[in-house]
Amino acid sequence: MEYSIQALSRLSGVTTRTLRWYDQIGLLRPARVAETGYRYYGPAEVDRLRDILYYRALGVELARIRECLDDPSFDRLTALRGHLDALRARQSQLDRLIRSVQEAIRCEERNEIMSDQEKFEAFKAQTMARCEAAYGNEARQKYGDEPVEQAKATLLNLSREQYGEWTRLGEEIRRRLEAAVRGGLSPSGEEGREITALHRRWLTLTGTVYDAARHRGIAQLYVADERFTAYYDGAVPGCARFLRDAIECWAR
């Protein structure tokens, strides 16, 4: 069966403007273009659009989706199973948040006080939901489901004190990076060494072991992945590169 661009738009809920954009960037080409210029899509294009929409629902960027779908090793069944796992994880996190909000409403209605532990658990679940949406699918494709689930479980099992220390260290690292870059310090200097030590402590607080090579590999992501770069460079450009260079120099 063949669909015109208008028919595919009605079928999928994706606007014709978006479909044209997908064609322009090479994400979804029509099966053929008639002499009149009209685009027509066949079964393969319908399946590919479905794959695109699954990835988009999980927050994957268009460029990354194109890389995945164009990879000769792409396996639709494996990808679908990964989507299902990610969606189930998100559903579990949302269920937890819903229960937390319901409990907060109940406490407000009855003028009761919600325990700090309950507030904390809800916040951890919210943090995990944001991470899953931003990085979950990509991490699963790169590392597999088991390491991702282990990392999530480790974070969710942190005590209130451990989680507080984890977030405090993260904030201190970013604050010192900004000060170092503003001050024109060298990543190979003493401040670079101390920031590297803080960063390793932050990484290993969850119980995960990082040797020097793995520590450097993580640091490379901060300049290779624009999302990490944006996080560290949000206030002061150059922080991500300073961190990467410091870890390259001082990771032991």
Side-chain angles (χ1 to χ4, degrees):
M1 185 173 182
E2 203 172 52
Y3 294 90
S4 68
I5 191 170
Q6 290 82 7
L8 184 59
S9 175
R10 290 192 297 269
L11 176 69
S12 64
V14 178
T15 66
T16 56
R17 180 178 181 182
T18 297
L19 291 172
R20 291 188 183 95
W21 173 244
Y22 286 174
D23 182 9
Q24 184 177 338
I25 64 175
L27 181 59
L28 179 66
R29 303 286 194 189
R32 68 183 181 90
V33 179
E35 292 181 1
T36 56
Y38 290 124
R39 295 170 172 86
Y40 290 93
Y41 300 82
E45 289 71 40
V46 171
D47 286 347
R48 185 175 173 100
L49 179 58
R50 180 191 61 180
D51 293 333
I52 292 168
L53 295 179
Y54 282 143
Y55 279 115
R56 290 298 289 158
L58 294 170
V60 182
E61 297 176 347
L62 295 179
R64 178 59 182 160
I65 295 173
R66 187 177 62 231
E67 290 177 8
C68 293
L69 298 183
D70 290 345
D71 189 330
S73 65
F74 175 75
D75 184 290
R76 179 166 283 112
L77 180 58
T78 300
L80 288 171
R81 286 172 175 160
H83 295 328
L84 182 59
D85 289 339
L87 290 169
R88 281 174 173 164
R90 182 180 294 182
Q91 182 182 42
S92 176
Q93 292 156 0
L94 288 173
D95 287 343
R96 185 179 301 194
L97 284 173
I98 288 170
R99 289 194 298 271
S100 176
V101 173
Q102 288 173 333
E103 179 63 16
I105 291 172
R106 187 187 67 79
C107 289
E108 289 291 331
E109 289 176 340
R110 299 183 182 184
N111 200 26
E112 296 176 355
I113 298 176
M114 192 176 187
S115 73
D116 289 341
Q117 185 64 27
E118 289 171 326
K119 296 175 185 176
F120 174 61
E121 289 301 321
F123 182 76
K124 281 199 297 184
Q126 188 176 37
T127 299
M128 287 308 308
R130 288 198 300 266
C131 290
E132 178 69 35
Y135 309 110
N137 194 62
E138 183 176 348
R140 291 172 194 280
Q141 288 185 357
K142 188 170 184 179
Y143 303 111
D145 290 334
E146 187 175 350
V148 174
E149 291 302 324
Q150 287 178 346
K152 288 166 57 180
T154 298
L155 181 57
L156 289 173
N157 288 331
L158 289 178
S159 68
R160 182 182 178 187
E161 291 72 21
Q162 288 174 319
Y163 189 80
E165 176 70 1
W166 186 72
T167 54
R168 185 195 65 76
L169 281 173
E171 292 167 359
E172 182 180 355
I173 290 167
R174 190 158 63 168
R175 176 181 57 78
R176 291 182 67 165
L177 281 170
E178 291 171 359
V181 173
R182 285 195 183 104
L185 302 183
S186 171
S188 62
E190 179 62 20
E191 184 65 3
R193 185 188 67 80
E194 292 184 8
I195 289 174
T196 298
L198 280 175
H199 187 264
R200 187 175 190 282
R201 183 179 168 193
W202 176 76
L203 284 175
T204 57
L205 190 63
T206 59
T208 306
V209 177
Y210 285 88
D211 58 20
R214 194 174 180 190
H215 194 181
R216 293 189 184 99
I218 290 291
Q220 286 293 340
L221 286 175
Y222 298 154
V223 294
D225 190 314
E226 60 185 14
R227 292 167 296 184
F228 288 111
T229 304
Y231 172 79
Y232 283 108
D233 287 7
V236 181
C239 289
R241 187 170 297 278
F242 184 101
L243 180 57
R244 191 278 308 273
D245 292 346
I247 292 172
E248 281 287 332
C249 180
W250 293 107
R252 297 287 185 269

